[in-house]
Amino acid sequence: MQQLFLPGMTMPSRPAETHNAREALASYPDMTTTNLCRHAKVLGIAAELLVDSVLMRLGERAYSTPEFERHDRVLLLPKGVQVRIQVKARHCRTDTGSYVFNLKQRSARGATGKGPYLPQDFDVLAMVILTEGVVYFSADWQNRHVIQAGEIPGLRRNPRMSLDAALARLGHTDAIPGGWDDDLDLAA
């Protein structure tokens, strides 16, 4: 069923950029670097929606934040605890077979750039490997994170493990369903 418009209103024409995005993204992830950059906003939103999906499947409540914030989501834990999550996506492996996440916020050169992240900007980094449909949560503050391709099956099999490890690192073990085992190995 098509949406009806008010009398006198006409259907807006489809912008050329939307059409170009559809054509370019149809071949994802086999795209040129130029197209990856051109459509980074769309792919970033896709990564955020994957994080939402994972969190929802885990029974968590997370909400998006305005674009001007230095984090993308707020995870609501029991007892009113809020955890700020920053989402970053990668689309291809390095030559060594790993996915590298360099922690930067937009271009620091442009008028809209906000410069590097600071530890107080967010609590958890959600690293999304969009081509694999997996998310790795980390509360370890580093400017560079690396996920090995061999870790992907574990992330797919148990998406909760890295989230729980991040919550434990932040001292929120009481918010982990079933409790936290300090002997758990994330690589397993």
Side-chain angles (χ1 to χ4, degrees):
M1 183 171 190
Q2 187 171 349
Q3 173 71 39
L4 298 175
F5 290 92
L6 294 172
M9 291 185 72
T10 59
M11 177 73 171
S13 62
R14 185 176 183 157
E17 185 61 30
T18 304
H19 176 71
N20 293 342
R22 188 168 188 268
E23 292 297 320
L25 292 169
S27 62
Y28 180 83
D30 299 319
M31 301 171 60
T32 65
T33 302
T34 300
N35 275 337
L36 275 173
C37 292
R38 180 177 291 132
H39 303 293
K41 190 91 163 164
V42 171
L43 294 170
I45 292 169
E48 291 174 4
L49 292 172
L50 181 61
V51 169
D52 290 344
S53 174
V54 167
L55 291 172
M56 288 178 93
R57 286 182 282 147
L58 296 175
E60 300 293 349
R61 295 184 319 157
Y63 297 92
S64 64
T65 59
E67 194 168 319
F68 59 81
E69 294 288 351
R70 300 201 33 120
H71 52 278
D72 298 307
R73 298 290 182 271
V74 171
L75 175 64
L76 299 181
L77 297 176
K79 301 178 185 173
V81 174
Q82 297 180 9
V83 175
R84 298 163 303 152
I85 299 175
Q86 175 60 45
V87 178
K88 291 294 176 190
R90 287 298 164 261
H91 313 285
C92 56
R93 287 189 261 194
T94 64
D95 293 339
T96 61
S98 59
Y99 294 88
V100 177
F101 294 80
N102 291 309
L103 208 50
K104 296 178 184 175
Q105 185 176 25
R106 295 188 196 158
S107 168
R109 296 171 293 169
T112 61
K114 295 180 182 177
Y117 287 104
L118 302 173
Q120 62 266 26
D121 290 338
F122 59 89
D123 306 305
V124 170
L125 176 63
M127 294 169 277
V128 176
I129 302 173
L130 202 54
T131 53
E132 299 290 341
V134 297
V135 180
Y136 186 106
F137 297 94
S138 176
D140 295 326
W141 184 260
Q142 302 173 34
N143 287 324
R144 185 174 190 268
H145 292 263
V146 178
I147 298 175
Q148 300 298 330
E151 296 177 76
I152 291 171
L155 293 170
R156 192 172 284 125
R157 187 174 48 255
N158 188 352
R160 171 132 223 140
M161 190 175 292
S162 69
L163 176 62
D164 289 349
L167 293 176
R169 178 143 173 101
L170 293 172
H172 300 305
T173 54
D174 57 331
I176 298 171
W180 174 249
D181 182 355
D182 286 326
D183 295 328
L184 288 177
D185 181 10
L186 286 179

